[in-house]
Amino acid sequence: MRPIKIIFVIFCIVFGCTCPQVAFADLPNTIEKVKPSIVAVGTFKKTSSPQFVLRGTGFVVGDGNHIATNAHVVPEKFSPDDPILVVQVRGDQGTLQLRRALLTKQDVEHDLAVLTIEGASLPALPMANSDFVREGQQVTFTGFPIGGALGFSPVTHRGIVSSITPIALPSGNVRQLNEKLIHRLKNGVFNIFQLDATAYPGNSGSPVFNPETGDVIGIINMVFIKSTREAALSTPSGITYAIPVNFLTELLRQSAIR
């Protein structure tokens, strides 16, 4: 039995170390396919310095002239003197282009927004049915972490869905209740994806996708969900949350965007 045990140990070591690499074997090709659909969402004002200010990440959906992102990424009010809403895309020659964007539809309860952009259509990302997402499933997301500090080249992170959990009021005393949390309680709860990969400011609105196919299963949220889930913590964690993409699919359906 001794040789059999040795072979079994070697098998476990070899395949235990290589399985993650095998699972992400298609990732380079997937990233190459996904990156043209990733845009930087921000504001532009010619007289400001810098002229473009990043507010978050978005990705192309539908007919190629619509962008999905978080609702909190879009400024709440505009006046004639305010910067205009734009998305920054990378052209065929690698040059950065700014395109004006207009808010078309939003779902405040799930912190989602759909923008319409000017110009030629861009490649849209396919969306999966997020009801079939499972805990332990490997995922990736691409966006613009830490604002423009790292430049405006999309950055990809990978990890797993560590938990599928409902948004609910955190445990604590009555002093920790606030208007947002009470509003969330009144309007019910919904499941979110908790990821073990770290997202950063600027990643809000980044698509979470299948590393093999590029199909979107969720949207990174760095403000809305984190403030709700971690309101009782004095020191916020590095946990990343994502909104299931089915809420976005429904929003696009309501807007007749395909």
Side-chain angles (χ1 to χ4, degrees):
M1 295 295 291
R2 191 181 187 89
I4 296 177
K5 289 183 179 180
I6 294 174
I7 293 173
F8 178 75
V9 170
I10 294 174
F11 178 87
C12 291
I13 293 173
V14 172
F15 283 90
C17 293
T18 59
C19 281
Q21 282 75 16
V22 171
F24 284 102
D26 294 328
L27 186 54
N29 292 331
T30 303
I31 292 174
E32 186 176 358
K33 181 174 65 174
V34 166
K35 282 179 67 174
S37 304
I38 307 300
V39 303
V41 181
T43 56
F44 174 83
K45 189 172 185 179
K46 192 172 183 179
T47 56
S48 298
S49 181
Q51 295 178 331
F52 173 74
V53 177
L54 179 76
R55 292 182 60 90
T57 300
F59 59 98
V60 186
V61 295
D63 58 7
N65 286 104
H66 292 90
I67 304 298
T69 188
N70 289 151
H72 76 260
V73 168
V74 182
E76 292 184 3
K77 297 180 180 179
F78 286 100
S79 70
D81 294 329
D82 289 336
I84 62 172
L85 181 65
V86 297
V87 299
Q88 184 173 255
V89 304
R90 193 169 293 275
D92 295 336
Q93 306 300 320
T95 57
L96 296 177
Q97 305 171 354
L98 290 179
R99 297 193 188 184
R100 187 160 189 171
L102 297 173
L103 177 62
T104 299
K105 190 79 172 179
Q106 63 179 342
D107 173 3
V108 177
E109 292 303 318
H110 302 103
D111 197 26
L112 296 172
V114 177
L115 313 177
T116 301
I117 58 171
E118 301 174 344
S121 61
L122 300 170
L125 292 182
M127 291 184 286
N129 184 343
S130 54
D131 286 342
F132 294 104
V133 173
R134 302 174 63 191
E135 293 182 351
Q137 179 175 330
Q138 290 156 340
V139 295
T140 46
F141 59 89
T142 300
F144 300 94
I146 319 181
L150 300 181
F152 292 109
S153 293
V155 178
T156 300
H157 302 264
R158 69 181 189 179
I160 66 168
V161 177
S162 54
S163 178
I164 300 176
T165 180
I167 289 183
L169 285 174
S171 60
N173 57 51
V174 69
R175 288 178 298 177
Q176 293 168 330
L177 294 176
N178 58 45
E179 183 179 352
K180 288 184 179 180
L181 297 181
I182 294 173
H183 181 71
R184 170 57 51 201
L185 182 62
K186 289 181 179 179
N187 286 276
V189 299
F190 62 93
N191 284 343
I192 56 170
F193 302 143
Q194 182 176 307
L195 312 180
D196 71 338
T198 303
Y200 299 90
N203 272 125
S204 285
S206 297
V208 181
F209 54 91
N210 184 312
E212 296 181 359
T213 65
D215 293 353
V216 179
I217 66 166
I219 303 94
I220 294 292
N221 187 291
M222 290 300 295
V223 174
F224 176 81
I225 292 177
K226 185 175 286 290
S227 65
T228 303
R229 291 286 294 178
E230 302 186 8
L233 301 180
S234 59
T235 304
S237 73
I239 296 172
T240 294
Y241 302 101
I243 302 165
V245 77
N246 281 8
F247 294 113
L248 174 60
T249 301
E250 175 60 20
L251 186 62
L252 294 176
R253 187 195 65 79
Q254 294 173 6
S255 309
I257 298 172
R258 292 179 173 82

